[in-house]
Amino acid sequence: MSLGERSYPIEISSGSLKTLGENLTKVNFPKRVAVISNPTVDRIYGEIVLHSLEKDGFSVSRCNVPDGEEYKTLETLTSVYDFLIEQSFDRGCGIVALGGGVIGDMAGFAAATMLRGIPYAQVPTTLLSQVDSSVGGKTAVNHPLGKNLIGAFYQPELVHIDIDTLRTLEPREISSGLAEVVKYGVIRDADFFTWLENNADKLRKLDPAALIHAIKTSCQIKADVVGSDERESSLRAILNYGHTFGHAIESLAGYGQWKHGEAVAVGMVVAAKISQQLGLCSKEDVERIVALLTTLGLPVTAPEGFSLEQYVAAMQHDKKVNQGTLTMVLNCGIGETQLKKVENVADLFASVL
């Protein structure tokens, strides 16, 4: 990730958890660290990470928080602060986030705000976190009225991706991560989208070569965008394609009921249909997006039981609302996007829901 003095490496390989300590040493990471994880991930990978870190001279404290999006809260974050303070962590210490997007977001926000900022590293163990949340420096917790409303931009010192961690995930988690991979093709790279159409089966079967290509391409696209607009003043907003309506689904359904990628998949279909209605893409483009998402095991229709008014109210709490006006990310065909300010949200969404 190229961000001047805040630049950092993104390591992507197979079977590399055992080299984590070595790679942290290369970036001069503090030798006293807290590994923030959850019981599920810690049970599978905690000892491997502990051995790797201690082998390279790190002193390790382990802190587990509850597993699930519903625990991505200020209350859980406070428990992390309590642990760090009780362990006498200071500015010469660091945090290692071991887990999926919930762990990465919370541990990153803890690092951003503990003593006004201490170093941290991302070790993402889900496909969603490997291709999206671990890269770019967005850290946050949820608020009951909206997702990721309380957070900070804070870049890690290292992103360490071991694709072997994906083999312990259920298929639904893999599909959720693939939604964000599809997003990158839609917003930025038509050739990559075509590649995904041709390799969907390999990705679902966790073919190593296909996975590494998809993750590397996704991270490169995100790095290029973030490198041009770190704090989302303009271009970076395109990374939110599908997220406006997706976050509304997550909020209304209750955090954790829908996987993030599942909600984003529906949000992408909604955005594509709006784009078609506005003449920005063709019916065939929408059909290709729907077909690929369906092939990857993702939902493409909004959950029943919520009214248009409920969806509109939820979207009004979205981070992309500025002075009451929502900015939508819309696809121009496949491979390009544009940002459109929407004042009458209800009218626009009524036509596609």
Side-chain angles (χ1 to χ4, degrees):
M1 175 70 72
S2 179
L3 290 167
E5 64 181 16
R6 295 181 308 287
S7 298
Y8 52 91
I10 302 171
E11 303 284 347
I12 307 170
S13 60
S14 173
S16 60
L17 275 186
K18 60 183 179 293
T19 66
L20 175 60
E22 179 182 327
N23 284 331
L24 286 173
T25 299
K26 289 178 181 177
V27 297
N28 298 314
F29 203 76
K31 285 297 184 178
R32 186 172 182 216
V33 301
V35 176
I36 311 297
S37 191
N38 65 50
T40 303
V41 175
D42 182 62
R43 184 174 62 253
I44 303 171
Y45 301 115
E47 289 300 318
I48 299 173
V49 167
L50 178 65
H51 178 72
S52 175
L53 293 174
E54 289 184 340
K55 178 170 60 72
D56 280 271
F58 288 87
S59 173
V60 183
S61 300
R62 293 156 81 176
C63 173
N64 287 336
V65 298
D67 185 8
E69 184 78 28
E70 62 269 35
Y71 297 107
K72 187 178 164 183
T73 63
L74 283 171
E75 182 179 7
T76 306
L77 185 66
T78 297
S79 73
V80 175
Y81 293 139
D82 290 344
F83 175 85
L84 296 172
I85 294 168
E86 288 167 1
Q87 294 287 318
S88 300
F89 267 64
D90 57 35
R91 288 179 175 173
C93 303
I95 288 175
V96 174
L98 175 65
V102 171
I103 290 296
D105 279 7
M106 281 200 298
F109 190 37
T113 48
M114 179 69 180
L115 301 172
R116 297 191 177 95
I118 62 175
Y120 81 109
Q122 292 274 15
V123 186
T125 59
T126 65
L127 183 56
L128 182 64
S129 59
Q130 289 177 359
V131 301
D132 185 52
S133 58
S134 67
V135 177
K138 278 188 174 182
T139 70
V141 294
N142 298 330
H143 186 277
L145 293 179
K147 186 178 173 73
N148 294 332
L149 294 182
I150 305 167
F153 291 99
Y154 194 64
Q155 301 296 343
E157 303 294 314
L158 169 72
V159 177
H160 186 98
I161 297 172
D162 183 348
I163 65 166
D164 287 2
T165 61
L166 303 181
R167 301 199 173 278
T168 57
L169 299 179
E170 61 177 19
R172 188 180 171 195
E173 283 285 359
I174 298 297
S175 293
S176 179
L178 288 171
E180 291 284 359
V181 176
V182 171
K183 177 196 75 176
Y184 291 116
V186 176
I187 67 171
R188 198 77 169 173
D189 192 332
D191 290 340
F192 182 47
F193 187 91
T194 300
W195 182 88
L196 292 171
E197 290 176 311
N198 294 332
N199 290 273
D201 189 53
K202 287 184 179 180
L203 290 169
R204 293 199 75 184
K205 292 180 178 178
L206 303 182
D207 176 80
L211 279 175
I212 287 176
H213 178 73
I215 295 168
K216 182 178 179 180
T217 303
S218 298
C219 288
Q220 187 62 62
I221 291 172
K222 184 162 189 179
D224 291 344
V225 172
V226 174
S228 300
D229 178 23
E230 181 180 1
R231 294 182 175 268
E232 202 171 74
S233 60
S234 55
L235 178 64
R236 184 169 179 168
I238 70 172
L239 297 172
N240 293 315
Y241 179 72
H243 285 59
T244 297
F245 192 76
H247 284 171
I249 292 174
E250 290 183 272
S251 177
L252 290 172
Y255 294 121
Q257 299 305 306
W258 276 60
K259 300 289 185 187
H260 175 66
E262 294 170 340
V264 168
V266 175
M268 287 192 286
V269 173
V270 169
K273 288 181 177 180
I274 290 174
S275 297
Q276 180 192 351
Q277 184 182 77
L278 297 177
L280 299 175
C281 75
S282 67
K283 179 182 178 182
E284 290 71 27
D285 294 328
V286 177
E287 290 173 346
R288 286 180 70 191
I289 293 170
V290 170
L292 178 55
L293 293 171
T294 302
T295 299
L296 294 173
L298 288 155
V300 292
T301 56
E304 298 179 356
F306 303 110
S307 66
L308 174 64
E309 290 74 21
Q310 286 176 296
Y311 279 120
V312 170
M315 285 187 284
Q316 292 295 346
H317 292 295
D318 192 89
K319 300 187 302 300
K320 294 170 287 300
V321 172
N322 189 339
Q323 297 183 7
T325 300
L326 175 67
T327 298
M328 281 283 295
V329 186
L330 300 175
N331 58 296
C332 302
I334 291 177
E336 296 183 11
T337 56
Q338 72 169 236
L339 303 179
K340 180 176 177 60
K341 294 188 181 299
V342 180
E343 294 185 355
N344 197 326
V345 177
D347 287 350
L348 186 64
F349 282 83
S351 60
V352 297
L353 292 179

